[in-house]
């Protein structure tokens, strides 16, 4: 884990994605047989437990029991519980079907597809909203989603200096509507208003 000192001289956590460390060995089950444990399996099990029980009940011991390994075995692959939560968060972003943003003519449908997919994440995984607010969320799946959103906004023809604000406005609107539990109709209306606003900005150059 890459860390920097905080104001009190204690190491401050950054992100699991900045560590650059490979798994450190083979893990065995309680009975001495190979476990087949790897980071992907650990992450998938973490997602399943978070879906079933929520973050409050999640622990390294609970995860180890589900995997049928010792708690210390998990630490061959991750340093902390926070690492696991970051890995799980990025994994669910990998569930999103990203639109093909190669055609500028379809940017409205592309934007709708991104927004709807992003909105559905907290519905499938209720713990996602809290984690997005607390972690850097810079894993490969999340980064791919952000890059696609930026490409879709570029496809609108908006001037370069307006693109970051437009991208942020769309993503914050979707995140906020999911957090407060907006009705589907209210969300759809709000999204269309955002698209109309982008069209106006593009027309003004």
């Amino acid at each position: 884990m890459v860390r920097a000192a905080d104001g009190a001289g204690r190491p401050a956590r950054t992100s699991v994605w900045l560590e650059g460390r490979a798994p450190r060995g083979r893990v065995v089950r309680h009975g001495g047989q190979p476990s087949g444990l790897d980071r992907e399996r650990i992450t998938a099990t973490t997602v399943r437990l978070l879906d079933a029980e929520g973050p409050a009940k999640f622990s390294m011991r609970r995860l180890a029991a589900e995997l049928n390994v010792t708690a210390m075995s998990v630490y061959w692959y991750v340093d902390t519980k926070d690492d696991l939560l970051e890995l799980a968060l990025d994994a669910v972003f990998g569930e999103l079907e990203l639109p093909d943003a190669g055609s500028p003519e379809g940017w409205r449908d592309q934007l709708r597809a991104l927004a709807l997919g992003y909105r559905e994440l907290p519905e499938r995984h209720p713990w996602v909203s809290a984690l997005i607010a607390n972690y850097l969320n810079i894993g490969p799946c999340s980064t791919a989603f952000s890059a696609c959103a930026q490409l879709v906004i570029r496809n609108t023809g908006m001037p370069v200096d307006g693109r970051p604000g437009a991208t942020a406005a769309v993503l914050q609107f979707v995140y906020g509507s999911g957090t407060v539990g907006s009705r589907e109709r209210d969300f759809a209306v709000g999204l269309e208003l955002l698209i109309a606003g982008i069209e106006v900005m593009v027309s003004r150059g």
Side-chain angles (χ1 to χ4, degrees):
M1 176 66 65
V2 176
R3 299 175 187 270
D6 63 14
R10 296 183 298 267
R13 184 178 188 280
T14 54
S15 171
V16 67
W17 300 109
L18 301 177
E19 66 179 15
R21 177 177 54 76
R24 292 173 286 195
R26 188 179 68 171
V27 175
V28 297
R29 297 183 190 276
H30 295 306
Q33 297 299 315
S35 68
L37 197 63
D38 56 31
R39 183 173 275 191
E40 289 71 26
R41 183 181 167 206
I42 291 171
T43 301
T45 304
T46 298
V47 170
R48 188 168 68 250
L49 287 175
L50 289 170
D51 287 345
E53 302 175 0
K57 293 184 178 180
F58 179 79
S59 69
M60 300 293 266
R61 289 186 179 277
R62 177 71 183 89
L63 174 65
E66 189 73 12
L67 292 166
N68 192 28
V69 298
T70 65
M72 288 304 298
S73 297
V74 180
Y75 287 105
W76 282 101
Y77 294 89
V78 291
D79 287 341
T80 67
K81 174 181 171 181
D82 286 317
D83 289 357
L84 283 170
L85 295 178
E86 273 196 278
L87 291 168
L89 179 60
D90 192 65
V92 297
F93 267 84
E95 298 174 4
L96 295 174
E97 294 185 11
L98 303 181
D100 180 4
S103 171
E105 290 77 16
W107 70 264
R108 295 167 186 79
D109 289 337
Q110 296 163 8
L111 188 58
R112 291 186 187 97
L114 276 176
L116 288 171
Y118 189 28
R119 176 181 166 81
E120 289 171 358
L121 269 187
E123 295 177 359
R124 293 196 303 272
H125 309 287
W127 46 272
V128 162
S129 294
L131 266 60
I132 289 175
N134 289 313
Y135 294 95
L136 289 177
N137 199 21
I138 56 173
C141 296
S142 177
T143 300
F145 170 76
S146 298
C148 186
Q150 293 167 21
L151 183 56
V152 169
I153 294 298
R154 188 185 74 180
N155 286 344
T156 67
M158 180 175 292
V160 173
D161 59 354
R163 293 174 190 170
T167 304
V170 172
L171 296 183
Q172 289 173 10
F173 163 72
V174 178
Y175 173 78
S177 69
T179 301
V180 301
S182 298
R183 295 179 302 175
E184 289 293 333
R185 182 177 181 279
D186 294 336
F187 171 75
V189 170
L191 181 58
E192 293 307 313
L193 288 174
L194 268 176
I195 291 175
I198 291 173
E199 290 173 330
V200 169
M201 294 175 66
V202 172
S203 67
R204 291 176 178 175

